[in-house]
């Protein structure tokens, strides 16, 4: 294929169509030449979202066994490094295709690995997965800022729009904000004193409180303000001079958190309830005892949520055997409570990974105009604040439509519906508020699939974990996504979804529910009565209901409700366990019959 460069030096060539297979050699010839070997032709999928899409195969309990047998030369990944920008970018800082081997599989996104492996084995052709994801990010960051300004609730984003605009006009804006923030800490927080920082390598901890991490947040409540946490850990010989990576579990509530090792700041995040992976530069660690400190702002609890395996440090790229655990004894101390701030903490005017448009600009725009078969999307946790879940449907439909327009074709789009999370619910229905926020996100995700063509929504309401926002069962996620793709994209027409609400009919004191995706029939997975159905009268006061399968329908009732009005199913943050499935082994999608 021939191509002529435009005035700006860019050029584009179209090759093919090619038959699936390879390897091929790709050569570009001109004033200078370039060659790439071991090129395959096959199926390419874009995998995007936040940390559950980004979570590595090495980070799940079954990962070690999966990696030990992950010799799949026809499965490849392209990992796009985190990159935010206030203007659309044309290229990435770095990146290349990586073949799946026993050595490289650990760095694959777990979801994209299981999804890609299923497709590769079913299609018997090469599969490539492009991983463009970033933990703790909201959907506004992945959307083009111009489209967000046209939404009906754009006023809620005006302050964030201004952040991006300031940054684009002043390249020093981010540095100036960081300087103003650190000045505030030094003037307000005793732990941030330039002459006696609590991040220092050596510090007397006699006024500090010991805490075992991870901890139940309910057992470690502290007032809002600035909190410091510290611990020591031992580095084996051989780490000195190497880069390292460190995973720190979720803080319960944190607006800012800054991390230091041996007195040197190695990272900071504006993030809520997310485990963060930090890069430790070469030369920071030393053989023997090392100190880690964490300065947190806007906290509610002193400790880390989640599991002990989400707290560790190891040399970059090292095997699991070299991991040093950071769970166990930590110490914490209050710096200053919010009521004693001399001045308000400076507003966050530095663009961060949740500033509208910055991840579209930095991590999606450079892909355009690549051609891929479809996209899978695992995101929504960061849009779980009260009110956000209701708006999420508009955000999601806007983003999908805009991406399709910019790439120039209506590619299939698979949505992973948020799983169950947080303590098991004790009420029949959770509406709005922090405990009900994910309910609205799930409904919005299903709404996008209902209203846009070639969009699927995959339920995971049965494979989450109460105490882990990064549930381990990524295999089922990948398999269910691949089932949707094989059925709806590749045309096998096999059942890919659990029961989805279709319609209701009031029959005296009962409500009869009809479903789509009945598959081979409805069933109770454990043989007991169906759980998590709720019913109400016109007063909208829901109670737990009796629910019985009747052919391809479910009949719902309660002796407390003489004149039923509506039914909801699994309409809580964590309905564990659910047992309503079809006989294809797929869980029913949470639903409500009222609008």
């Amino acid at each position: 294929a021939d191509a002529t460069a435009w005035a700006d030096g860019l050029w584009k060539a179209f090759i093919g169509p090619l038959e699936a297979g390879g390897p091929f050699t790709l050569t570009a010839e001109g004033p200078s030449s370039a060659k790439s070997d071991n090129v395959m032709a096959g199926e390419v999928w874009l995998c995007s979202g936040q940390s559950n899409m980004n979570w590595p195969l090495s980070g799940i309990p079954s990962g070690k066994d999966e990696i030990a047998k992950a010799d799949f030369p026809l499965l490849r990944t392209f990992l796009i490094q985190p990159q935010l920008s206030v203007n659309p970018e044309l290229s990435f800082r770095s990146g290349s295709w990586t073949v799946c081997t026993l050595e490289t599989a650990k760095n694959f996104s777990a979801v994209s690995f299981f999804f890609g492996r299923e497709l590769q084995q079913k299609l018997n052709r090469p599969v490539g997965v492009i991983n463009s994801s970033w933990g703790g990010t909201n959907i506004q960051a992945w959307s083009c800022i111009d489209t967000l300004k046209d939404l009906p609730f754009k006023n809620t984003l005006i302050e964030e729009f201004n952040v991006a605009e300031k940054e684009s006009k002043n390249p020093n804006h981010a540095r100036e904000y960081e300087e103003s923030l650190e000045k505030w800490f030094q003037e307000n927080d005793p732990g941030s004193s330039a002459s006696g920082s609590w991040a220092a390598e050596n510090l007397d901890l006699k006024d500090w409180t010991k805490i075992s991490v991870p901890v139940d947040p309910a057992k470690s409540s502290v007032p809002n303000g600035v909190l410091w946490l510290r611990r020591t850990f031992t580095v084996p010989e051989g780490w000195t001079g190497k880069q390292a990576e460190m995973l720190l579990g979720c803080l319960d509530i944190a607006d800012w958190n800054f991390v230091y090792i041996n007195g040197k700041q190695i990272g900071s995040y504006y993030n809520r309830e997310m485990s963060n992976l930090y890069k430790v530069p070469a030369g920071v660690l030393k053989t023997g005892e090392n100190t880690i400190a964490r300065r947190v702002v806007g906290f509610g609890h002193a400790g880390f949520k989640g599991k002990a395996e989400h707290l560790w440090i190891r040399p970059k790229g090292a095997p699991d055997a070299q991991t040093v655990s950071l769970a166990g004894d930590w110490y914490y101390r209050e710096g200053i409570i919010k009521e004693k701030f001399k001045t308000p903490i400076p507003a966050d005017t530095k663009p961060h990974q949740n500033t509208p448009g910055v991840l579209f600009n930095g991590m999606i725009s450079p892909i355009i105009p690549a051609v891929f078969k479809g996209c899978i999307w695992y995101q929504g946790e960061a849009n779980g604040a009260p009110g956000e879940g209701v708006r999420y449907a508009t955000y999601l439909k806007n983003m999908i439509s805009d991406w399709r327009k910019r790439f120039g074709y209506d590619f299939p789009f698979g949505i992973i519906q948020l799983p169950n999370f947080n303590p098991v619910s004790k009420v029949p229905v959770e509406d709005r508020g922090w405990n009900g926020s994910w309910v609205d996100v799930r409904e919005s995700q299903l709404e996008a699939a209902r209203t846009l063509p070639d969009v699927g929504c995959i339920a995971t309401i049965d494979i989450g974990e109460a105490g882990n926002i990064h549930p381990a069962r990524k295999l089922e996620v990948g398999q269910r996504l691949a089932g949707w793709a094989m059925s709806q994209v590749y045309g096998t027409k096999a059942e890919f979804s659990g029961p989805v609400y279709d319609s209701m009919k009031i029959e005296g004191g009962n409500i009869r529910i009809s479903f789509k995706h009945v598959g081979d029939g409805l069933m109770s997975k454990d043989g007991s009565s169906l759980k998590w159905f709720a019913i109400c009268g016109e007063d909208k006061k829901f109670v737990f209901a009796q629910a019985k399968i009747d052919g391809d329908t479910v009949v719902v009732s309660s002796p407390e409700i003489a004149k039923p009005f509506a039914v909801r199913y699994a309409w809580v943050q964590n309905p564990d366990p659910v047992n309503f499935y079809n006989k294809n082994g797929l869980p029913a999608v949470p639903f409500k019959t009222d609008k």
Side-chain angles (χ1 to χ4, degrees):
D2 295 327
T4 301
W6 299 303
D8 56 8
L10 298 175
W11 57 274
K12 178 169 60 177
F14 292 92
I15 303 172
L18 301 173
E19 296 232 354
F24 302 103
T25 297
L26 179 64
T27 303
E29 296 181 342
S32 60
S33 300
K35 184 175 73 170
S36 182
D37 296 315
N38 195 19
V39 175
M40 307 299 290
E43 309 298 303
V44 179
W45 281 79
L46 175 62
C47 309
S48 189
Q50 56 181 107
S51 57
N52 271 308
M53 179 62 79
N54 188 256
W55 206 253
L57 185 59
S58 61
I60 62 174
S62 64
K64 186 175 181 179
D65 293 336
E66 295 288 356
I67 292 167
K69 55 185 179 183
D71 183 17
F72 302 110
L74 298 185
L75 175 61
R76 306 181 175 200
T77 190
F78 190 100
L79 176 61
I80 297 175
Q81 296 297 328
Q83 174 176 300
L84 60 83
S85 176
V86 294
N87 297 302
E89 298 289 345
L90 294 174
S91 62
F92 306 112
R93 295 181 188 136
S94 62
S96 62
W97 284 102
T98 300
V99 179
C100 183
T101 67
L102 304 184
E103 290 74 34
T104 64
K106 64 183 179 182
N107 297 320
F108 273 59
S109 148
V111 169
S112 68
F113 170 82
F114 291 123
F115 171 74
R117 186 182 69 179
E118 288 286 313
L119 289 187
Q120 194 278 309
Q121 293 177 342
K122 284 181 168 61
L123 296 169
N124 194 29
R125 66 185 69 160
V127 171
V129 287
I130 301 173
N131 179 6
S132 181
S133 54
W134 189 330
T137 53
N138 61 33
I139 194 171
Q140 296 94 315
W142 293 99
S143 305
C144 174
I145 196 169
D146 291 337
T147 65
L148 294 175
K149 291 179 178 179
D150 293 332
L151 299 185
F153 39 80
K154 61 185 178 182
N155 289 342
T156 63
L157 297 173
I158 286 178
E159 185 175 334
E160 294 284 0
F161 292 154
N162 291 338
V163 169
E165 184 177 357
K166 289 178 182 177
E167 177 74 8
S168 64
K169 293 180 178 179
N170 177 11
N172 296 320
H173 183 69
R175 177 180 56 80
E176 292 170 357
Y177 171 69
E178 290 176 352
E179 291 174 351
S180 68
L181 185 60
E182 193 58 39
K183 180 181 178 183
W184 181 91
F185 278 118
Q186 292 185 11
E187 292 176 348
N188 286 267
D189 172 38
S192 301
S193 170
S195 59
S197 172
W198 293 354
E201 187 172 0
N202 298 305
L203 195 67
D204 186 350
L205 301 182
K206 67 178 182 179
D207 295 325
W208 293 60
T209 301
K210 182 186 288 188
I211 191 170
S212 182
V213 172
V215 65
D216 181 349
K219 299 178 181 178
S220 59
S221 182
V222 287
N224 289 333
V226 180
L227 177 76
W228 285 83
L229 300 109
R230 288 177 62 96
R231 70 158 289 159
T232 58
F233 61 96
T234 301
V235 168
E237 290 187 15
W239 285 30
T240 305
K242 293 183 178 180
Q243 293 180 322
E245 53 189 6
M246 178 173 62
L247 187 68
L248 294 181
C250 314
L251 284 161
D252 184 51
I253 300 176
D255 290 336
W256 287 271
N257 68 90
F258 304 79
V259 175
Y260 307 81
I261 292 182
N262 297 331
K264 299 180 178 66
Q265 184 175 323
I266 58 98
S268 63
Y269 279 87
Y270 175 87
N271 221 333
R272 288 183 185 270
E273 296 204 356
M274 304 306 298
S275 292
N276 292 317
L277 186 66
Y278 293 87
K279 297 177 181 179
V280 183
V284 172
L285 298 176
K286 61 182 181 180
T287 301
E289 186 175 275
N290 291 252
T291 300
I292 177 174
R294 196 170 191 179
R295 179 177 64 187
V296 182
V297 184
F299 57 85
H301 304 283
F304 301 85
K305 295 171 64 176
K307 297 184 177 181
E309 56 260 36
H310 299 149
L311 291 150
W312 50 256
I313 188 168
R314 66 186 175 213
K316 183 179 180 181
D320 292 344
Q322 294 189 29
T323 298
V324 171
S325 174
L326 296 177
D329 289 343
W330 283 67
Y331 291 82
Y332 76 91
R333 184 179 178 183
E334 296 172 14
I336 183 171
I337 62 174
K338 187 175 182 180
E339 289 74 14
K340 294 184 178 181
F341 288 177
K342 298 175 184 176
T343 57
I345 194 166
D348 186 22
T349 57
K350 171 189 172 184
H352 48 76
Q353 67 266 34
N354 281 323
T355 300
V358 295
L359 299 188
F360 170 81
N361 291 335
M363 300 179 69
I364 298 298
S365 176
I367 306 174
I368 300 172
V371 177
F372 43 83
K373 192 69 173 182
C375 175
I376 56 175
W377 175 254
Y378 198 156
Q379 192 278 332
E381 301 94 330
N383 285 89
E388 275 287 279
V390 178
R391 293 191 285 262
Y392 190 81
T394 302
Y395 283 134
L396 185 55
K397 289 186 284 187
N398 169 74
M399 188 195 76
I400 295 171
S401 299
D402 183 62
W403 282 17
R404 285 172 166 178
K405 179 179 179 181
R406 292 175 187 277
F407 279 95
Y409 56 103
D410 290 342
F411 50 83
F413 199 96
I415 301 165
I416 302 166
Q417 196 179 48
L418 291 188
N420 50 307
F421 176 55
N422 272 339
V424 176
S425 303
K426 298 180 180 180
V427 295
V429 162
E430 286 169 343
D431 236 341
R432 311 294 186 262
W434 287 106
N435 286 332
S437 57
W438 281 26
V439 170
D440 293 323
V441 175
R442 293 184 195 122
E443 173 73 358
S444 289
Q445 291 169 324
L446 184 61
E447 173 67 14
R450 283 195 188 110
T451 55
L452 291 180
D454 296 320
V455 175
C457 183
I458 307 304
T460 62
I461 197 66
D462 58 334
I463 53 178
E465 297 178 37
N468 185 8
I469 201 169
H470 304 117
R473 295 172 64 180
K474 298 291 192 286
L475 171 61
E476 289 95 328
V477 176
Q479 288 174 330
R480 291 174 187 179
L481 280 167
W484 161 76
M486 291 301 300
S487 175
Q488 301 300 294
V489 180
Y490 295 104
T492 66
K493 302 305 180 185
E495 185 56 78
F496 67 90
S497 172
V500 175
Y501 169 71
D502 183 37
S503 62
M504 62 161 274
K505 182 180 180 181
I506 298 175
E507 299 176 346
N510 301 326
I511 293 183
R512 184 179 296 273
I513 309 294
S514 298
F515 298 90
K516 299 177 182 177
H517 298 284
V518 171
D520 295 332
L522 305 179
M523 73 170 187
S524 165
K525 187 177 182 180
D526 59 9
S528 64
S529 58
L530 298 183
K531 302 178 176 67
W532 296 106
F533 278 84
I535 194 169
C536 74
E538 292 186 356
D539 60 1
K540 285 287 192 82
K541 294 180 180 179
F542 283 90
V543 299
F544 283 112
Q546 299 170 356
K548 297 180 180 180
I549 295 172
D550 183 16
D552 289 342
T553 67
V554 172
V555 178
V556 186
S557 65
S558 169
E560 300 178 45
I561 307 296
K563 295 182 178 180
F565 174 76
V567 168
R568 294 187 182 184
Y569 168 70
W571 208 256
V572 293
Q573 185 136 341
N574 189 359
D576 185 33
V578 294
N579 64 351
F580 181 34
Y581 286 67
N582 59 22
K583 292 180 181 179
N584 306 80
L586 297 166
V589 179
F591 69 85
K592 63 177 181 178
T593 65
D594 54 311
K595 298 294 182 182

